[in-house]
Amino acid sequence: MFFDVSRIEPQNAYKLMTSTVVPRPIAWVSTLSEDGVANAAPYSFFNVMGSDPATVVIGIQKDAKRGFKDSAHNILTTGEFVVNLVNEAVAEKMNISCIDAPRDVSEFDIAGLTQRPSQLVKPPQIAESPVSFECVNLTSLVTGPRQTLVVGRVVGIRIEDEYILDADKAYVDTPALHMIGRTYGSGWYTKTADQFQMGRPVYDDWIAKNGDPKKG
């Protein structure tokens, strides 16, 4: 079945995309308001988009009644944020931080999270997260009346020592992190323990095995 996105409701487009683009990594974003209130909120419209410079992208959506989440508002007003990654151990606390708390109430307090000072930006890291990316807002692109795309430049990365295999070579024990991802429907997540590996093919090796496609 083909869906003409211009002819369906935005909510249905959301359902179609989130039901098929799975799993999605989770950016557990921590920010600091202009009044000094630390906020935390998860976003699953998120991914890494480059390494030179190190770049992440977050899609933030505006609620029809409440507007942007506090974290999104803080990113756009202060220009700094931290992307904390989510593993199985902190999944429940991450879910609690989704709560619709008033703007002057910190999700750090509600979810029982610990603020860890960042090195290069003002917003704190979430200490319970195994990985934190300190970011500055490189640019923001309004893609619709209720959504904005934030492109962040990563200026610092904190990874807990227990997951570092070789610091000089930047080798990380990824399986040990036990990261989770967002999937389809309301409240569904996935673990990343079930993996498989495929080597990247080499064209000359492929020709040797299958023949030159240019020769028919």
Side-chain angles (χ1 to χ4, degrees):
M1 179 175 288
F2 177 78
F3 296 89
D4 184 339
V5 177
S6 66
R7 295 178 179 272
I8 63 177
E9 292 295 322
Q11 184 61 25
N12 285 342
Y14 172 87
K15 291 178 182 178
L16 294 172
M17 295 178 70
T18 58
S19 296
T20 54
V21 183
V22 293
R24 300 185 304 280
I26 303 168
W28 199 8
V29 178
S30 52
T31 58
L32 196 64
S33 73
E34 293 175 301
D35 296 327
V37 177
N39 292 104
Y43 294 84
S44 67
F45 285 178
F46 155 74
N47 219 316
V48 174
M49 291 297 165
S51 59
D52 187 16
T55 306
V56 297
V57 173
I58 303 172
I60 55 179
Q61 299 194 344
K62 181 187 295 184
D63 182 86
K65 295 181 179 180
R66 299 184 73 245
F68 284 128
K69 291 182 180 180
D70 298 339
S71 298
H73 176 80
N74 294 342
I75 291 173
L76 298 176
T77 55
T78 69
E80 294 185 340
F81 59 100
V82 179
V83 170
N84 307 275
L85 302 185
V86 183
N87 63 2
E88 295 176 31
V90 296
E92 185 174 350
K93 289 180 179 292
M94 176 275 298
N95 188 53
I96 293 173
S97 71
C98 293
I99 196 168
D100 55 342
R103 192 173 296 277
D104 60 347
V105 174
S106 172
E107 292 84 4
F108 274 86
D109 295 333
I110 294 177
L113 299 171
T114 306
Q115 296 185 33
R116 178 175 184 157
S118 293
Q119 300 296 312
L120 302 174
V121 297
K122 291 181 180 179
Q125 300 174 15
I126 297 174
E128 288 78 4
S129 170
V131 180
S132 298
F133 296 161
E134 298 184 9
C135 305
V136 295
N137 188 357
L138 189 61
T139 188
S140 299
L141 175 66
V142 176
T143 57
R146 293 182 180 176
Q147 61 185 38
T148 297
L149 199 66
V150 172
V151 181
R153 181 165 60 87
V154 180
V155 295
I157 301 173
R158 185 266 303 176
I159 302 175
E160 287 298 296
D161 291 346
E162 64 187 283
Y163 303 112
I164 299 296
L165 298 176
D166 188 323
D168 292 333
K169 295 182 179 179
Y171 287 169
V172 176
D173 189 355
T174 303
L177 286 168
H178 295 292
M179 293 299 186
I180 66 171
R182 192 73 166 85
T183 61
Y184 59 93
S186 177
W188 283 97
Y189 297 84
T190 185
K191 299 177 181 179
T192 56
D194 187 10
Q195 304 177 43
F196 64 96
Q197 184 177 32
M198 293 190 292
R200 183 173 181 174
V202 177
Y203 185 64
D204 289 343
D205 294 342
W206 190 91
I207 290 177
K209 182 178 180 180
N210 299 281
D212 191 341
K214 294 185 291 185
K215 294 181 179 179

